[in-house]
Amino acid sequence: MLNNITLMGRLTRDPELRHTPNGVPVASFALAVGRPVKESGERQTDFIDVVAWRNTAEFVTKYFTKGQLCALTGRLQIRDWTDKEGNKRRSAEVVADRVYFADTKAAAETREPIFEDMDEADGNLPF
């Protein structure tokens, strides 16, 4: 069986750090993840709830803020719970194992070019 998810999107709010009664850090946030553009040109976005535990929770809370682009890997978790009125509910969330910086405005502005111009007069390829 395989339960592996990779996402890239923007945080819809600042991560919220809490601690369990045993003192284990847990952070929750949501990502806005765009779907491929439809033939009609209409864009759609999914808003995906994410939870991170322990060191990952502390890392996300310390370094990420609303609007920031991030990538993550994790797994899908389905939770069944009962609301205050006694109704049974089900929710899906991603449990993040690893969270990465995806890109920032500063990084995009200072990024070095990937390719270098070749001297065409030489005519020799480097491979």
Side-chain angles (χ1 to χ4, degrees), residues 97-118:
D97 295 323
R98 295 198 166 112
V99 180
Y100 306 93
F101 298 103
D103 206 0
T104 65
K105 184 176 180 182
E109 291 174 351
T110 61
R111 185 177 299 130
E112 293 292 322
I114 296 172
F115 299 102
E116 296 179 19
D117 291 333
M118 291 179 45

Side-chain angles (χ1 to χ4, degrees), residues 40-60:
S40 65
E42 180 184 346
R43 292 178 163 247
Q44 292 185 329
T45 303
D46 291 310
F47 297 91
I48 301 171
D49 292 326
V50 180
V51 64
W53 292 87
R54 297 176 180 77
N55 291 341
T56 305
E58 292 173 336
F59 172 76
V60 167

Side-chain angles (χ1 to χ4, degrees), residues 62-121:
K62 184 174 181 179
Y63 293 108
F64 287 89
T65 58
K66 177 181 177 179
Q68 196 166 3
L69 186 65
C70 78
L72 63 84
T73 60
R75 63 183 169 82
L76 181 64
Q77 174 175 282
I78 308 296
R79 291 187 305 120
D80 292 318
W81 50 282
T82 305
D83 66 14
K84 292 178 182 178
E85 289 82 38
N87 300 315
K88 293 190 180 220
R89 301 286 195 170
R90 175 173 275 197
S91 59
E93 62 191 5
V94 172
V95 178
D97 295 323
R98 295 198 166 112
V99 180
Y100 306 93
F101 298 103
D103 206 0
T104 65
K105 184 176 180 182
E109 291 174 351
T110 61
R111 185 177 299 130
E112 293 292 322
I114 296 172
F115 299 102
E116 296 179 19
D117 291 333
M118 291 179 45
D119 183 9
E120 293 183 29

Side-chain angles (χ1 to χ4, degrees), residues 2-66:
L2 181 64
N3 182 353
N4 189 23
I5 291 182
T6 302
L7 298 172
M8 185 183 313
R10 296 200 178 274
L11 276 74
T12 63
R13 65 183 191 276
D14 289 343
E16 178 184 332
L17 182 66
R18 299 178 315 279
H19 291 82
T20 67
N22 294 335
V24 178
V26 58
S28 59
F29 57 99
L31 283 185
V33 179
R35 292 186 191 171
V37 178
K38 291 185 174 184
E39 289 180 21
S40 65
E42 180 184 346
R43 292 178 163 247
Q44 292 185 329
T45 303
D46 291 310
F47 297 91
I48 301 171
D49 292 326
V50 180
V51 64
W53 292 87
R54 297 176 180 77
N55 291 341
T56 305
E58 292 173 336
F59 172 76
V60 167
T61 305
K62 184 174 181 179
Y63 293 108
F64 287 89
T65 58
K66 177 181 177 179

